[in-house]
Amino acid sequence: MDFSILKTFPPITRLYLLISVIANFLVFINFMNPMQIFLNFQLVFYKFNVWRLFSHAFFFGRAGVKTFFYIFFFSRYSKALESLSFQGRGADYLYLLFSGNSILLLLKLFVSEANFLGPGLTFMIVYIWGKKNAQHQINLINMFHIKGSSLPLVLMITSWFLRQKTLKFDIMGIMAGHIYYYIEEVYPRLSGGQKIIKTPDVFKELFLKIQES
């Protein structure tokens, strides 16, 4: 498997894609069972399977078109966010992913079947990118032009049209993205600059280690 293309991505996006591609490939060749990484709060709290709070976000379901779909859109828009909107603020982007995962974990309480939230995390990233690039024109399959702000809705409608079982997870991702964007971008403007989200020092230290690796 050629991972050289990953060198073109910024560090956080690169690390996520590397783990995700490996996890999905190991499941594809039956080396790993998805049940080892799925999100289950009972196993987290009673069996101390703490890794499940994070491992679920790297899996997109059995190999197929939808897996490629999610990995492609995450790689494209996560790269854009980290390289441009979060340029020079890698630790903040790492904390964005952590915060988004935390919001998805809370939403999981209302969607019992949401055992793998890689799709949700992808839609969260696409939503945030769309809000930050609302007027950006996107050419879809050389036929349609839409604004960046419309991209999450178009992708969600496509998922519904194709009757994907991950539609609920896509919606969860949009909700998580909206919550994060409101807290990070909208609320400070309404409260005279007061920010709620502040990146803890541990994420700054962790980012430095990721950057050096």
Side-chain angles (χ1 to χ4, degrees):
M1 195 182 299
D2 184 10
F3 291 108
S4 60
I5 191 175
L6 291 174
K7 295 180 181 179
T8 64
F9 292 91
I12 303 303
T13 300
R14 180 171 65 241
L15 179 61
Y16 177 90
L17 288 175
L18 179 62
I19 297 174
S20 180
V21 169
I22 291 175
N24 283 273
F25 179 73
L26 291 178
V27 171
F28 175 71
I29 63 175
N30 294 318
F31 184 83
M32 182 173 69
N33 191 319
M35 295 301 101
Q36 295 175 276
I37 58 174
F38 85 115
L39 178 58
N40 183 299
F41 287 132
Q42 290 187 331
L43 291 176
V44 170
F45 295 111
Y46 296 112
K47 298 293 184 178
F48 304 106
N49 292 178
V50 181
W51 69 84
R52 295 180 186 274
L53 293 174
F54 305 97
S55 61
H56 70 92
F58 296 97
F59 188 63
F60 299 97
R62 292 292 180 179
V65 175
K66 69 176 183 179
T67 301
F68 173 80
F69 169 87
Y70 285 117
I71 291 178
F72 170 78
F73 278 99
F74 181 91
S75 64
R76 179 168 184 169
Y77 294 103
S78 179
K79 179 181 181 180
L81 270 181
E82 187 177 354
S83 300
L84 299 175
S85 299
F86 286 82
Q87 185 177 22
R89 298 192 294 128
D92 293 340
Y93 189 68
L94 178 61
Y95 193 55
L96 180 157
L97 292 177
F98 177 83
S99 301
N101 182 63
S102 300
I103 296 171
L104 288 170
L105 291 176
L106 292 175
L107 295 176
K108 151 76 174 172
L109 297 174
F110 306 97
V111 186
S112 60
E113 65 269 34
N115 296 320
F116 297 105
L117 287 171
L121 193 65
T122 297
F123 262 73
M124 183 198 78
I125 292 300
V126 171
Y127 180 89
I128 294 173
W129 179 90
K131 295 296 286 187
K132 288 179 174 290
N133 300 272
Q135 301 303 316
H136 184 86
Q137 291 292 316
I138 302 172
N139 185 359
L140 291 181
I141 58 175
N142 294 319
M143 294 178 62
F144 307 102
H145 288 82
I146 63 172
K147 291 182 178 180
S149 58
S150 302
L151 181 60
L153 179 60
V154 171
L155 295 181
M156 188 175 67
I157 292 175
T158 303
S159 186
W160 171 80
F161 181 76
L162 296 175
R163 300 192 182 282
Q164 295 290 334
K165 295 180 180 180
T166 54
L167 179 59
K168 287 184 179 180
F169 313 152
D170 300 344
I171 295 173
M172 290 172 66
I174 289 177
M175 293 174 64
H178 183 74
I179 292 171
Y180 177 89
Y181 184 80
Y182 181 87
I183 294 175
E184 174 66 11
E185 300 285 346
V186 179
Y187 178 77
R189 292 199 295 265
L190 298 177
S191 61
Q194 181 181 1
K195 297 194 63 139
I196 297 178
I197 298 179
K198 295 181 180 178
T199 303
D201 289 339
V202 64
F203 284 89
K204 298 176 183 177
E205 296 172 5
L206 182 57
F207 173 72
L208 289 176
K209 293 181 180 180
I210 293 174
Q211 200 173 28
E212 294 170 357
S213 63

PDB file of all heavy atoms in Angstrom, residues 65-67 69-70 73 123 154-167 170:
ATOM      1  N   VAL A  65     -18.230   1.876  -2.027  1.00  0.00           N
ATOM      2  CA  VAL A  65     -18.227   3.231  -2.573  1.00  0.00           C
ATOM      3  C   VAL A  65     -18.364   4.265  -1.466  1.00  0.00           C
ATOM      4  O   VAL A  65     -17.692   5.309  -1.483  1.00  0.00           O
ATOM      5  CB  VAL A  65     -19.364   3.402  -3.601  1.00  0.00           C
ATOM      6  CG1 VAL A  65     -19.435   4.848  -4.080  1.00  0.00           C
ATOM      7  CG2 VAL A  65     -19.154   2.472  -4.785  1.00  0.00           C
ATOM      8  N   LYS A  66     -19.224   3.997  -0.489  1.00  0.00           N
ATOM      9  CA  LYS A  66     -19.450   5.004   0.559  1.00  0.00           C
ATOM     10  C   LYS A  66     -18.197   5.221   1.411  1.00  0.00           C
ATOM     11  O   LYS A  66     -17.950   6.338   1.875  1.00  0.00           O
ATOM     12  CB  LYS A  66     -20.635   4.613   1.437  1.00  0.00           C
ATOM     13  CG  LYS A  66     -20.417   3.400   2.323  1.00  0.00           C
ATOM     14  CD  LYS A  66     -21.631   3.167   3.221  1.00  0.00           C
ATOM     15  CE  LYS A  66     -21.397   1.987   4.167  1.00  0.00           C
ATOM     16  NZ  LYS A  66     -22.556   1.773   5.056  1.00  0.00           N
ATOM     17  N   THR A  67     -17.390   4.156   1.613  1.00  0.00           N
ATOM     18  CA  THR A  67     -16.144   4.318   2.358  1.00  0.00           C
ATOM     19  C   THR A  67     -15.209   5.264   1.623  1.00  0.00           C
ATOM     20  O   THR A  67     -14.629   6.190   2.211  1.00  0.00           O
ATOM     21  CB  THR A  67     -15.452   2.958   2.553  1.00  0.00           C
ATOM     22  OG1 THR A  67     -16.326   2.084   3.269  1.00  0.00           O
ATOM     23  CG2 THR A  67     -14.151   3.119   3.330  1.00  0.00           C
ATOM     24  N   PHE A  69     -16.119   7.480  -0.519  1.00  0.00           N
ATOM     25  CA  PHE A  69     -16.815   8.760  -0.495  1.00  0.00           C
ATOM     26  C   PHE A  69     -16.437   9.558   0.756  1.00  0.00           C
ATOM     27  O   PHE A  69     -16.045  10.726   0.684  1.00  0.00           O
ATOM     28  CB  PHE A  69     -18.319   8.493  -0.542  1.00  0.00           C
ATOM     29  CG  PHE A  69     -19.202   9.668  -0.266  1.00  0.00           C
ATOM     30  CD1 PHE A  69     -19.595  10.528  -1.282  1.00  0.00           C
ATOM     31  CD2 PHE A  69     -19.676   9.917   1.024  1.00  0.00           C
ATOM     32  CE1 PHE A  69     -20.430  11.601  -1.026  1.00  0.00           C
ATOM     33  CE2 PHE A  69     -20.510  10.994   1.285  1.00  0.00           C
ATOM     34  CZ  PHE A  69     -20.894  11.829   0.260  1.00  0.00           C
ATOM     35  N   TYR A  70     -16.517   8.920   1.913  1.00  0.00           N
ATOM     36  CA  TYR A  70     -16.235   9.627   3.160  1.00  0.00           C
ATOM     37  C   TYR A  70     -14.752   9.971   3.294  1.00  0.00           C
ATOM     38  O   TYR A  70     -14.403  11.081   3.724  1.00  0.00           O
ATOM     39  CB  TYR A  70     -16.686   8.790   4.353  1.00  0.00           C
ATOM     40  CG  TYR A  70     -18.176   8.769   4.541  1.00  0.00           C
ATOM     41  CD1 TYR A  70     -18.908   7.586   4.434  1.00  0.00           C
ATOM     42  CD2 TYR A  70     -18.867   9.939   4.823  1.00  0.00           C
ATOM     43  CE1 TYR A  70     -20.283   7.570   4.596  1.00  0.00           C
ATOM     44  CE2 TYR A  70     -20.250   9.940   4.995  1.00  0.00           C
ATOM     45  CZ  TYR A  70     -20.947   8.748   4.876  1.00  0.00           C
ATOM     46  OH  TYR A  70     -22.308   8.738   5.034  1.00  0.00           O
ATOM     47  N   PHE A  73     -13.947  12.966   0.938  1.00  0.00           N
ATOM     48  CA  PHE A  73     -14.434  14.271   1.380  1.00  0.00           C
ATOM     49  C   PHE A  73     -13.736  14.722   2.660  1.00  0.00           C
ATOM     50  O   PHE A  73     -13.480  15.916   2.834  1.00  0.00           O
ATOM     51  CB  PHE A  73     -15.951  14.253   1.558  1.00  0.00           C
ATOM     52  CG  PHE A  73     -16.689  14.452   0.268  1.00  0.00           C
ATOM     53  CD1 PHE A  73     -17.213  13.373  -0.418  1.00  0.00           C
ATOM     54  CD2 PHE A  73     -16.825  15.713  -0.284  1.00  0.00           C
ATOM     55  CE1 PHE A  73     -17.868  13.551  -1.633  1.00  0.00           C
ATOM     56  CE2 PHE A  73     -17.474  15.911  -1.491  1.00  0.00           C
ATOM     57  CZ  PHE A  73     -18.007  14.817  -2.173  1.00  0.00           C
ATOM     58  N   PHE A 123     -18.850  14.772   7.981  1.00  0.00           N
ATOM     59  CA  PHE A 123     -19.853  15.792   7.690  1.00  0.00           C
ATOM     60  C   PHE A 123     -19.660  17.014   8.572  1.00  0.00           C
ATOM     61  O   PHE A 123     -19.970  18.135   8.155  1.00  0.00           O
ATOM     62  CB  PHE A 123     -21.260  15.223   7.860  1.00  0.00           C
ATOM     63  CG  PHE A 123     -21.878  14.796   6.565  1.00  0.00           C
ATOM     64  CD1 PHE A 123     -21.438  13.646   5.920  1.00  0.00           C
ATOM     65  CD2 PHE A 123     -22.871  15.545   5.963  1.00  0.00           C
ATOM     66  CE1 PHE A 123     -21.982  13.249   4.711  1.00  0.00           C
ATOM     67  CE2 PHE A 123     -23.434  15.163   4.752  1.00  0.00           C
ATOM     68  CZ  PHE A 123     -22.978  14.008   4.118  1.00  0.00           C
ATOM     69  N   VAL A 154     -26.356  19.275   0.062  1.00  0.00           N
ATOM     70  CA  VAL A 154     -26.343  18.506  -1.189  1.00  0.00           C
ATOM     71  C   VAL A 154     -25.855  17.083  -0.937  1.00  0.00           C
ATOM     72  O   VAL A 154     -26.432  16.112  -1.439  1.00  0.00           O
ATOM     73  CB  VAL A 154     -25.459  19.203  -2.243  1.00  0.00           C
ATOM     74  CG1 VAL A 154     -25.271  18.306  -3.461  1.00  0.00           C
ATOM     75  CG2 VAL A 154     -26.077  20.527  -2.662  1.00  0.00           C
ATOM     76  N   LEU A 155     -24.798  16.950  -0.144  1.00  0.00           N
ATOM     77  CA  LEU A 155     -24.269  15.623   0.156  1.00  0.00           C
ATOM     78  C   LEU A 155     -25.262  14.802   0.975  1.00  0.00           C
ATOM     79  O   LEU A 155     -25.401  13.589   0.765  1.00  0.00           O
ATOM     80  CB  LEU A 155     -22.942  15.750   0.916  1.00  0.00           C
ATOM     81  CG  LEU A 155     -21.779  16.382   0.143  1.00  0.00           C
ATOM     82  CD1 LEU A 155     -20.536  16.427   1.014  1.00  0.00           C
ATOM     83  CD2 LEU A 155     -21.505  15.619  -1.137  1.00  0.00           C
ATOM     84  N   MET A 156     -25.967  15.459   1.887  1.00  0.00           N
ATOM     85  CA  MET A 156     -26.951  14.754   2.703  1.00  0.00           C
ATOM     86  C   MET A 156     -28.119  14.271   1.846  1.00  0.00           C
ATOM     87  O   MET A 156     -28.604  13.148   2.005  1.00  0.00           O
ATOM     88  CB  MET A 156     -27.452  15.667   3.825  1.00  0.00           C
ATOM     89  CG  MET A 156     -28.339  14.951   4.836  1.00  0.00           C
ATOM     90  SD  MET A 156     -28.797  16.021   6.222  1.00  0.00           S
ATOM     91  CE  MET A 156     -29.850  17.220   5.385  1.00  0.00           C
ATOM     92  N   ILE A 157     -28.577  15.106   0.917  1.00  0.00           N
ATOM     93  CA  ILE A 157     -29.667  14.719   0.016  1.00  0.00           C
ATOM     94  C   ILE A 157     -29.219  13.550  -0.864  1.00  0.00           C
ATOM     95  O   ILE A 157     -29.997  12.613  -1.114  1.00  0.00           O
ATOM     96  CB  ILE A 157     -30.098  15.915  -0.857  1.00  0.00           C
ATOM     97  CG1 ILE A 157     -30.773  16.975   0.020  1.00  0.00           C
ATOM     98  CG2 ILE A 157     -31.048  15.467  -1.972  1.00  0.00           C
ATOM     99  CD1 ILE A 157     -31.123  18.255  -0.715  1.00  0.00           C
ATOM    100  N   THR A 158     -27.973  13.599  -1.310  1.00  0.00           N
ATOM    101  CA  THR A 158     -27.430  12.496  -2.101  1.00  0.00           C
ATOM    102  C   THR A 158     -27.423  11.205  -1.306  1.00  0.00           C
ATOM    103  O   THR A 158     -27.780  10.134  -1.816  1.00  0.00           O
ATOM    104  CB  THR A 158     -25.996  12.822  -2.574  1.00  0.00           C
ATOM    105  OG1 THR A 158     -26.006  14.035  -3.320  1.00  0.00           O
ATOM    106  CG2 THR A 158     -25.443  11.698  -3.430  1.00  0.00           C
ATOM    107  N   SER A 159     -27.031  11.298  -0.043  1.00  0.00           N
ATOM    108  CA  SER A 159     -27.019  10.133   0.837  1.00  0.00           C
ATOM    109  C   SER A 159     -28.429   9.574   1.014  1.00  0.00           C
ATOM    110  O   SER A 159     -28.649   8.359   1.006  1.00  0.00           O
ATOM    111  CB  SER A 159     -26.420  10.512   2.200  1.00  0.00           C
ATOM    112  OG  SER A 159     -26.270   9.379   3.022  1.00  0.00           O
ATOM    113  N   TRP A 160     -29.397  10.482   1.149  1.00  0.00           N
ATOM    114  CA  TRP A 160     -30.803  10.048   1.284  1.00  0.00           C
ATOM    115  C   TRP A 160     -31.299   9.401  -0.005  1.00  0.00           C
ATOM    116  O   TRP A 160     -31.959   8.361   0.023  1.00  0.00           O
ATOM    117  CB  TRP A 160     -31.671  11.253   1.616  1.00  0.00           C
ATOM    118  CG  TRP A 160     -33.142  10.946   1.563  1.00  0.00           C
ATOM    119  CD1 TRP A 160     -33.896  10.332   2.521  1.00  0.00           C
ATOM    120  CD2 TRP A 160     -34.030  11.220   0.463  1.00  0.00           C
ATOM    121  NE1 TRP A 160     -35.202  10.205   2.101  1.00  0.00           N
ATOM    122  CE2 TRP A 160     -35.319  10.741   0.844  1.00  0.00           C
ATOM    123  CE3 TRP A 160     -33.877  11.822  -0.780  1.00  0.00           C
ATOM    124  CZ2 TRP A 160     -36.422  10.847   0.004  1.00  0.00           C
ATOM    125  CZ3 TRP A 160     -34.980  11.932  -1.614  1.00  0.00           C
ATOM    126  CH2 TRP A 160     -36.227  11.452  -1.224  1.00  0.00           C
ATOM    127  N   PHE A 161     -30.943  10.006  -1.143  1.00  0.00           N
ATOM    128  CA  PHE A 161     -31.383   9.483  -2.446  1.00  0.00           C
ATOM    129  C   PHE A 161     -30.829   8.084  -2.691  1.00  0.00           C
ATOM    130  O   PHE A 161     -31.517   7.217  -3.251  1.00  0.00           O
ATOM    131  CB  PHE A 161     -30.927  10.428  -3.562  1.00  0.00           C
ATOM    132  CG  PHE A 161     -31.357   9.998  -4.938  1.00  0.00           C
ATOM    133  CD1 PHE A 161     -32.676  10.167  -5.352  1.00  0.00           C
ATOM    134  CD2 PHE A 161     -30.450   9.409  -5.807  1.00  0.00           C
ATOM    135  CE1 PHE A 161     -33.081   9.765  -6.618  1.00  0.00           C
ATOM    136  CE2 PHE A 161     -30.844   9.000  -7.067  1.00  0.00           C
ATOM    137  CZ  PHE A 161     -32.165   9.184  -7.477  1.00  0.00           C
ATOM    138  N   LEU A 162     -29.603   7.846  -2.246  1.00  0.00           N
ATOM    139  CA  LEU A 162     -28.977   6.537  -2.420  1.00  0.00           C
ATOM    140  C   LEU A 162     -29.346   5.571  -1.299  1.00  0.00           C
ATOM    141  O   LEU A 162     -28.869   4.440  -1.273  1.00  0.00           O
ATOM    142  CB  LEU A 162     -27.448   6.699  -2.467  1.00  0.00           C
ATOM    143  CG  LEU A 162     -26.903   7.507  -3.652  1.00  0.00           C
ATOM    144  CD1 LEU A 162     -25.401   7.691  -3.517  1.00  0.00           C
ATOM    145  CD2 LEU A 162     -27.249   6.831  -4.975  1.00  0.00           C
ATOM    146  N   ARG A 163     -30.197   6.070  -0.396  1.00  0.00           N
ATOM    147  CA  ARG A 163     -30.703   5.258   0.714  1.00  0.00           C
ATOM    148  C   ARG A 163     -29.557   4.662   1.547  1.00  0.00           C
ATOM    149  O   ARG A 163     -29.564   3.481   1.896  1.00  0.00           O
ATOM    150  CB  ARG A 163     -31.625   4.154   0.197  1.00  0.00           C
ATOM    151  CG  ARG A 163     -32.837   4.702  -0.543  1.00  0.00           C
ATOM    152  CD  ARG A 163     -33.880   3.642  -0.808  1.00  0.00           C
ATOM    153  NE  ARG A 163     -35.009   4.178  -1.548  1.00  0.00           N
ATOM    154  CZ  ARG A 163     -35.993   4.913  -1.028  1.00  0.00           C
ATOM    155  NH1 ARG A 163     -35.976   5.177   0.267  1.00  0.00           N
ATOM    156  NH2 ARG A 163     -36.986   5.361  -1.771  1.00  0.00           N
ATOM    157  N   GLN A 164     -28.602   5.508   1.860  1.00  0.00           N
ATOM    158  CA  GLN A 164     -27.480   5.072   2.687  1.00  0.00           C
ATOM    159  C   GLN A 164     -27.923   4.954   4.143  1.00  0.00           C
ATOM    160  O   GLN A 164     -28.635   5.811   4.661  1.00  0.00           O
ATOM    161  CB  GLN A 164     -26.322   6.073   2.572  1.00  0.00           C
ATOM    162  CG  GLN A 164     -25.706   6.154   1.195  1.00  0.00           C
ATOM    163  CD  GLN A 164     -24.935   4.907   0.826  1.00  0.00           C
ATOM    164  OE1 GLN A 164     -24.449   4.185   1.692  1.00  0.00           O
ATOM    165  NE2 GLN A 164     -24.829   4.643  -0.462  1.00  0.00           N
ATOM    166  N   LYS A 165     -27.463   3.912   4.805  1.00  0.00           N
ATOM    167  CA  LYS A 165     -27.815   3.696   6.199  1.00  0.00           C
ATOM    168  C   LYS A 165     -27.120   4.691   7.122  1.00  0.00           C
ATOM    169  O   LYS A 165     -27.448   4.774   8.311  1.00  0.00           O
ATOM    170  CB  LYS A 165     -27.454   2.270   6.614  1.00  0.00           C
ATOM    171  CG  LYS A 165     -28.261   1.196   5.881  1.00  0.00           C
ATOM    172  CD  LYS A 165     -27.861  -0.194   6.341  1.00  0.00           C
ATOM    173  CE  LYS A 165     -28.670  -1.258   5.614  1.00  0.00           C
ATOM    174  NZ  LYS A 165     -28.282  -2.629   6.049  1.00  0.00           N
ATOM    175  N   THR A 166     -26.160   5.428   6.570  1.00  0.00           N
ATOM    176  CA  THR A 166     -25.399   6.383   7.384  1.00  0.00           C
ATOM    177  C   THR A 166     -26.035   7.774   7.417  1.00  0.00           C
ATOM    178  O   THR A 166     -25.436   8.697   7.960  1.00  0.00           O
ATOM    179  CB  THR A 166     -23.962   6.502   6.837  1.00  0.00           C
ATOM    180  OG1 THR A 166     -24.024   6.836   5.446  1.00  0.00           O
ATOM    181  CG2 THR A 166     -23.205   5.203   7.020  1.00  0.00           C
ATOM    182  N   LEU A 167     -27.229   7.931   6.856  1.00  0.00           N
ATOM    183  CA  LEU A 167     -27.857   9.251   6.796  1.00  0.00           C
ATOM    184  C   LEU A 167     -27.984   9.887   8.175  1.00  0.00           C
ATOM    185  O   LEU A 167     -27.714  11.082   8.347  1.00  0.00           O
ATOM    186  CB  LEU A 167     -29.232   9.156   6.130  1.00  0.00           C
ATOM    187  CG  LEU A 167     -30.027  10.472   6.029  1.00  0.00           C
ATOM    188  CD1 LEU A 167     -29.245  11.508   5.234  1.00  0.00           C
ATOM    189  CD2 LEU A 167     -31.393  10.227   5.394  1.00  0.00           C
ATOM    190  N   ASP A 170     -24.748  11.279   9.164  1.00  0.00           N
ATOM    191  CA  ASP A 170     -24.452  12.513   8.424  1.00  0.00           C
ATOM    192  C   ASP A 170     -25.127  13.707   9.103  1.00  0.00           C
ATOM    193  O   ASP A 170     -24.520  14.765   9.275  1.00  0.00           O
ATOM    194  CB  ASP A 170     -24.954  12.405   6.983  1.00  0.00           C
ATOM    195  CG  ASP A 170     -24.314  11.258   6.215  1.00  0.00           C
ATOM    196  OD1 ASP A 170     -23.280  10.737   6.686  1.00  0.00           O
ATOM    197  OD2 ASP A 170     -24.849  10.875   5.163  1.00  0.00           O
TER     198      ASP A 170
END
